[in-house]
């Protein structure tokens, strides 16, 4: 990616580091691709907004015609603030959560958005809360895989959804509660292996086919997320046209079984947003460790971003492309570990999912150079935290040569806002 398109040094001077930059033109390209992908009455894409719930992003998603998969009551309400209609005709916003907490249940009852239940207890929760309306049901089809072991989205070790053999009982429970089940859903995960993703979607179509006779009220079948994003240089892109063909075939096959025209949905989260994001950090130092006998050790590039800003490498060993902006960019590459400011040895951006360091070839930076972590538009700011009372980083939206601050750097006041001392 050509970083010279962005005035990173100037922005860093104005708002400090670290910060996120989102390229609105890349977002627009991805959304246009998805619009072509889901064109027509049979296919519909829901944006899984947990990947990036910035209002500006949600507005662009809405303008592009997509619906929403939300996973908390507050996500539903944020979608509403970004202009998505509430209610379930049509079910523009669906709430998929494993557990109702905080305002989740109340939001479903008050806003009338479609709840997608993933456990029998949630059917009881809805009935007890006085909900009267349609539901969707999330099935664990007995297989599936996320992008790493810690991210298990289907199969016996996954917590998500209702086990496929228990679906008939859950349907009875829903019927007794008077809930028409209008949606059948599964999310088996976004593996980096496109072949595996392909095979999983085919198996899923068959599981849906087997289950459909239990669901006379169903109008939509949802294949979940997501679409893989190519994080590594040279990684293959998913063949969207091929996936579209597959889903249209699945729509016909499943409509035939159901005896009526069904809508097929997918829920891309990372796909539209991952590639638009840069996390821009400042190099503060370069230092080395050495062992005595062999002189082995590592050279560390120290930066001011940490896993409080981007947790994916620390949590999953996820790979993010890294660039140096400044004097180091032109130098002969050497191998470096890139590490952040937190008091945790795992605060390292260059490691694998076995927690081993994987030094990266980079031009030797000078302190003061910028270091950019690529593809951080998904699950970057969205999973950032106030760990060690660090302020969450600002977010900048870049479009047509203009930068707009869409979230400022947090202050101590923001962090302390909910603290109180109140007798109960
Ligand atoms: C997270 C999630 C998605 C999106 O996953 P991505 O890998 O970001 O595309 C879709 N559906 C559900 C139910 C999810 O929880």
């Amino acid at each position: 990616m050509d970083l010279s398109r962005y005035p990173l040094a100037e922005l860093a001077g104005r708002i400090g580091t670290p910060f996120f930059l989102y390229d609105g033109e890349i977002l627009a390209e991805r959304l246009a691709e998805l619009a072509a992908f889901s064109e027509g009455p049979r296919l519909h894409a829901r944006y899984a907004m947990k990947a990036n719930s910035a209002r500006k992003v949600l507005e662009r998603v809405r303008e592009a015609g997509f619906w929403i998969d939300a996973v908390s009551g507050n996500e539903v309400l944020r979608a509403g603030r970004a202009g998505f209609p509430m209610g379930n005709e049509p079910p523009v916003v669906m709430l998929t959560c494993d557990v109702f907490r905080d305002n989740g249940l109340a939001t479903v009852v008050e806003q009338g958005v479609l709840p997608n239940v993933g456990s029998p207890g949630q059917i009881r929760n809805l009935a007890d809360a006085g909900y009267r309306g349609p539901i969707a049901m999330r099935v664990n089809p007995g297989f599936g895989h996320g992008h790493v072991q810690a991210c298990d989205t289907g199969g016996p070790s996954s917590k998500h959804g209702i086990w496929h053999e228990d679906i008939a009982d859950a349907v009875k429970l829903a019927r007794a509660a008077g809930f028409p089940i209008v949606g059948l859903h599964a999310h088996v995960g976004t593996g980096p292996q496109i072949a595996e993703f392909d095979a999983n979607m085919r198996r899923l179509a068959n599981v849906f086919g087997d289950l459909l006779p239990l669901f006379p009220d169903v109008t939509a079948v949802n294949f979940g997320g997501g679409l893989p994003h190519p994080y590594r240089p040279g990684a293959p892109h998913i063949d969207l046209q091929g996936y579209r063909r597959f889903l249209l075939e699945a729509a016909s096959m499943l409509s035939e079984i159901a005896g009526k025209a069904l809508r097929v949905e997918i829920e891309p989260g990372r796909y539209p947003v991952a590639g638009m994001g840069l996390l821009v950090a400042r190099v503060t130092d370069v230092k080395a460790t050495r062992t005595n006998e062999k002189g082995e050790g590592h050279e560390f590039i120290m930066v001011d971003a940490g896993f409080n800003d981007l947790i994916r490498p620390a949590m999953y060993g996820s790979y993010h492309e890294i660039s140096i902006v400044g004097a180091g960019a032109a130098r002969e590459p050497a191998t470096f570990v890139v590490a952040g400011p937190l008091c945790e040895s795992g605060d390292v951006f260059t490691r694998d999912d076995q927690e081993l360091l994987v030094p990266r070839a980079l031009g030797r930076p000078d302190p003061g150079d910028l270091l950019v972590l690529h593809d951080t538009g998904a699950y970057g700011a969205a999973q950032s935290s106030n760990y060690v009372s660090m302020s969450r980083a600002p977010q900048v939206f870049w479009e047509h040569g203009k930068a707009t601050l869409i979230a400022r750097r947090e202050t101590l006041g923001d962090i302390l806002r909910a603290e109180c001392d109140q007798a109960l």
Side-chain angles (χ1 to χ4, degrees):
M1 164 182 254
D2 177 15
L3 293 180
S4 67
R5 301 162 61 175
Y6 316 111
L8 296 181
E10 187 197 324
L11 287 169
R14 301 253 316 264
I15 60 169
T17 50
F19 66 91
F20 287 95
L21 181 132
Y22 303 146
D23 185 333
E25 289 164 41
I26 294 179
L27 174 63
E29 274 169 32
R30 287 291 102 78
L31 290 174
E33 268 176 27
L34 280 179
F37 168 83
S38 54
E39 220 246 299
R42 283 283 141 268
L43 283 189
H44 219 93
R46 290 180 183 276
Y47 171 53
M49 67 179 278
K50 71 178 192 280
N52 187 320
S53 48
R55 180 170 183 151
K56 186 76 117 192
V57 171
L58 293 177
E59 285 170 353
R60 295 300 154 87
V61 167
R62 176 175 53 73
E63 286 158 11
F66 301 110
W67 291 358
I68 288 289
D69 185 61
V71 294
S72 71
N74 283 345
E75 280 200 348
V76 171
L77 299 177
R78 285 180 85 170
R81 278 164 49 105
F84 287 92
M86 301 285 104
N88 58 44
E89 286 181 8
V92 171
V93 177
M94 178 165 81
L95 175 61
T96 300
C97 55
D98 294 319
V99 171
F100 290 117
R101 63 164 269 180
D102 301 337
N103 57 356
L105 200 48
T107 302
V108 170
V109 174
E110 285 159 20
Q111 306 297 327
V113 296
L114 182 66
N116 183 17
V117 301
S119 75
Q122 286 188 295
I123 299 171
R124 287 185 214 106
N125 295 153
L126 285 164
D128 292 348
Y131 177 73
R132 294 283 164 267
I135 64 172
M137 196 171 275
R138 176 174 186 168
V139 57
N140 178 339
F143 63 89
H145 197 48
H147 51 286
V148 292
Q149 286 298 336
C151 188
D152 212 343
T153 34
S157 58
S158 167
K159 70 174 182 117
H160 298 295
I162 298 173
W163 185 247
H164 56 109
E165 292 162 316
D166 295 336
I167 284 286
D169 288 340
V171 168
K172 278 189 207 136
L173 203 58
R175 189 166 300 142
F179 299 148
I181 308 172
V182 298
L184 182 56
H185 172 277
H187 169 63
V188 295
T190 309
Q193 270 75 41
I194 286 178
E196 183 192 354
F197 178 75
D198 241 44
N200 278 343
M201 290 304 127
R202 278 168 206 285
R203 286 176 75 183
L204 192 52
N206 293 330
V207 171
F208 283 151
D210 291 345
L211 292 175
L212 267 180
L214 292 171
F215 293 87
D217 299 318
V218 81
T219 57
V221 172
N222 187 318
F223 282 74
L227 297 172
H229 173 79
Y231 285 97
R232 287 175 191 268
H237 284 247
I238 183 168
D239 167 18
L240 281 181
Q241 277 310 314
Y243 191 38
R244 174 183 164 82
R245 277 195 301 277
F246 160 74
L247 287 173
L248 287 173
E249 277 164 31
S252 314
M253 186 268 275
L254 296 170
S255 296
E256 193 154 316
I257 294 173
K260 61 183 166 184
L262 298 181
R263 182 174 70 243
V264 164
E265 299 180 350
I266 60 158
E267 295 166 342
R270 73 191 62 223
Y271 187 81
V273 292
M276 73 173 184
L278 304 174
L279 174 59
V280 182
R282 178 88 65 192
V283 175
T284 60
D285 208 352
V286 180
K287 63 185 185 181
T289 52
R290 277 174 294 276
T291 57
N292 295 338
E293 297 100 58
K294 295 198 205 152
E296 283 173 349
H298 289 294
E299 280 204 283
F300 289 81
I301 297 176
M302 304 303 295
V303 296
D304 59 6
F307 73 60
N308 54 312
D309 302 298
L310 176 70
I311 202 169
R312 299 185 72 249
M315 188 152 66
Y316 308 121
S318 302
Y319 179 95
H320 285 270
E321 190 65 356
I322 296 176
S323 303
I324 305 289
V325 174
R331 296 194 184 125
E332 198 60 26
T335 51
F336 295 97
V337 172
V338 177
L342 303 178
C343 306
E344 298 263 352
S345 52
D347 187 24
V348 162
F349 290 116
T350 47
R351 50 185 240 163
D352 64 13
D353 59 359
Q354 309 301 311
E355 304 185 1
L356 294 173
L357 297 180
V358 185
R360 190 77 62 87
L362 295 165
R364 178 178 303 282
D366 289 336
D369 283 357
L370 297 177
L371 181 142
V372 176
L373 291 138
H374 294 249
D375 302 296
T376 52
Y379 307 110
Q383 290 188 328
S384 64
S385 75
N386 290 129
Y387 185 51
V388 301
S389 298
M390 213 75 100
S391 299
R392 283 188 297 176
Q395 300 169 53
V396 174
F397 199 80
W398 174 261
E399 201 170 35
H400 311 306
K402 280 205 304 251
T404 305
L405 189 65
I406 60 168
R408 61 166 170 75
R409 191 178 306 284
E410 284 180 328
T411 62
L412 178 62
D414 294 325
I415 296 170
L416 296 179
R417 203 164 45 193
E419 219 176 40
C420 53
D421 187 358
Q422 178 186 320
L424 291 174

